[in-house]
Amino acid sequence: MDIPPLAGKIAALSLGALPVSYALNHVSALSHPLGVVLMSALILGLLFVAIYSLSRGEIYYDPLYAVFAVFAFTSVVDLLIALQEDGYAVGFMEFYTKEGDPYLRTAHGVFICYWDGTVHYLLYLAMAGAIRRRKRYRNLGLYWLGSFVMSVLVFLPGNILGKYSSEIRPAFFLAIPYVLVPCWAGVRVFSQSQAPTCCTPNVVQEEQRKGLLQRPVDLALIIYLTLAGFFTLFRGLVVLDCPTDACFVYIYQYEPYLRDPVAYPKVQMLVNMFYVLPFHGLAAYALIFPGCSWLPDWALVFAGAIGQAQFSHMGASMHLRTPFTYRVPDDTWACFFVCNLLYALGPHLLAYRCLRWPAFFLRPPPGPPAHHKKQH
């Protein structure tokens, strides 16, 4: 997969968030929640007008260019919030975390800001650069889509269900576009044509005739998906207060963060159980039976989703803003870190396998059906 050059114009425009946020932080009118909402909406509107006037051709070619440009600006804002909450920056977004979204001051909120300000930011610049040069960005878009949707699926319900539910401010409703835009963007990304493969019909037939034991990488991935599926189910049962001794020991000695009343870890484990767990089963099926052409796309989506989820979950489990009783104990830190890191890396290895050697997942060419060799 070729990574397109980054969009310099969008990068320069997004850095305007630095002086804008610093200036707004010293405006006394923004000490009221409603003032925060109105000013935020005004800035986003002016930003869109500026992008439209500077990049009209790119927007006509692909309207998502404007979306990525606006989101790149908000990514810089999120990075400023994270740096400020960790004490690395002062005087930028205090007004917003106090009167707009106070839940961004939680450990989970800090780490989703870090992810948005780094990974999402680079993805926005790369995808905007691809649009400017009329290149494909489907794979990058699928990874971003999964990451963005997972962030919203956990953060918004966690705000409503957790201990900060009483502090929901009018700025919370600015999240409505963050729910609607990915739906529209996802449809556009999925509708883009796939990059042509260099696999000939003979190569496809040859690959699809191989049995599972002749594909050790796929066998290893199936073993991983099986173990990850059990781990996903187990942690889902843990947050549902399963009374077994294993669940009790795990939640108190390995991941006490799952008991944190902020609700983000509980929502995350339930999202994993109801969405990621079925994907593990379907992905294992697609690695056994050839011709499942949907797997490469969805592997990218879930790689982005699980990458974002694990980054936020692992970081928040160890962050100083998490109360000490809910942080990972020192004596089980290594086990926690290794298990969660492997849980995050596996989907990325699956996506890499699908993109690097796609022949097994292509639709079988017309002709005699390919038969699996019997395994002895």
Side-chain angles (χ1 to χ4, degrees):
M1 178 181 65
D2 294 331
I3 298 178
L6 302 182
K9 186 187 298 185
I10 298 302
L13 190 62
S14 65
L15 293 178
L18 295 169
V20 169
S21 61
Y22 185 82
L24 292 178
N25 197 57
H26 295 82
V27 178
S28 60
L30 296 180
S31 60
H32 191 278
L34 186 59
V36 173
V37 176
L38 295 177
M39 185 59 70
S40 299
L42 176 62
I43 291 174
L44 291 177
L46 293 175
L47 179 63
F48 178 80
V49 172
I51 294 167
Y52 182 80
S53 62
L54 292 173
S55 307
R56 194 169 301 179
E58 286 79 8
I59 295 175
Y60 285 156
Y61 177 76
D62 190 339
L64 286 181
Y65 184 88
V67 174
F68 298 148
V70 172
F71 281 4
F73 183 91
T74 60
S75 290
V76 175
V77 172
D78 282 343
L79 184 59
L80 289 173
I81 290 174
L83 293 174
Q84 175 183 277
E85 294 305 316
D86 277 344
Y88 299 114
V90 179
F92 283 95
M93 294 297 294
E94 287 153 352
F95 74 96
Y96 192 80
T97 53
K98 288 180 181 178
E99 303 298 339
D101 286 337
Y103 15 82
L104 289 175
R105 308 181 77 176
T106 63
H108 183 86
V110 168
F111 274 90
I112 65 170
C113 286
Y114 273 127
W115 182 269
D116 190 49
T118 53
V119 177
H120 284 173
Y121 182 66
L122 292 176
L123 288 172
Y124 294 139
L125 297 185
M127 291 187 289
I131 294 173
R132 185 173 179 81
R133 292 163 178 80
R134 308 300 191 259
K135 293 184 177 180
R136 291 187 179 90
Y137 61 93
R138 192 173 192 272
N139 291 340
L140 293 175
L142 292 174
Y143 188 90
W144 164 78
L145 180 65
S147 174
F148 197 96
V149 169
M150 178 63 84
S151 176
V152 171
L153 279 178
V154 175
F155 189 61
L156 295 187
N159 295 339
I160 298 172
L161 300 174
K163 69 178 183 180
Y164 290 94
S165 59
S166 60
E167 296 191 35
I168 290 180
R169 311 289 170 82
F172 179 80
F173 297 100
L174 290 175
I176 294 176
Y178 274 74
V179 176
L180 299 179
V181 169
C183 298
W184 170 63
V187 172
R188 289 192 64 90
V189 171
F190 268 104
S191 64
Q192 290 183 12
S193 60
Q194 295 181 342
T197 64
C198 58
C199 299
T200 64
N202 289 336
V203 171
V204 173
Q205 288 184 337
E206 178 76 20
E207 188 66 23
Q208 295 186 354
R209 286 195 185 99
K210 293 180 180 179
L212 187 57
L213 296 182
Q214 296 174 292
R215 295 179 284 116
V217 173
D218 291 354
L219 180 60
L221 286 172
I222 290 172
I223 294 173
Y224 159 79
L225 289 169
T226 303
L227 296 176
F230 280 115
F231 188 54
T232 303
L233 178 62
F234 175 71
R235 292 203 293 184
L237 294 176
V238 166
V239 299
L240 290 174
D241 296 327
C242 177
T244 63
D245 292 341
C247 293
F248 181 84
V249 170
Y250 186 82
I251 200 171
Y252 279 92
Q253 296 186 14
Y254 290 89
E255 284 201 57
Y257 179 59
L258 298 178
R259 298 186 294 117
D260 195 327
V262 293
Y264 301 120
K266 294 182 180 179
V267 175
Q268 183 67 74
M269 295 306 113
L270 293 177
V271 169
N272 288 352
M273 187 168 69
F274 289 115
Y275 294 97
V276 178
L277 179 59
F279 172 74
H280 284 157
L282 292 172
Y285 172 89
L287 289 169
I288 297 173
F289 299 99
C292 296
S293 57
W294 49 266
L295 181 60
D297 287 349
W298 285 102
L300 276 170
V301 171
F302 276 88
I306 297 174
Q308 188 281 330
Q310 287 300 105
F311 177 83
S312 301
H313 179 71
M314 294 173 66
S317 297
M318 299 177 284
H319 196 266
L320 294 177
R321 286 187 178 268
T322 298
F324 180 78
T325 54
Y326 299 129
R327 288 183 222 157
V328 180
D330 292 338
D331 55 344
T332 59
W333 182 89
C335 179
F336 162 83
F337 186 82
V338 170
C339 290
N340 281 274
L341 182 62
L342 291 175
Y343 191 82
L345 289 178
H348 292 80
L349 295 177
L350 174 64
Y352 177 78
R353 183 265 179 268
C354 294
L355 294 176
R356 186 69 179 81
W357 302 286
F360 186 79
F361 309 107
L362 299 178
R363 296 187 184 278
H371 300 283
H372 289 288
K373 293 181 181 179
K374 294 182 179 179
Q375 307 295 330
H376 298 286

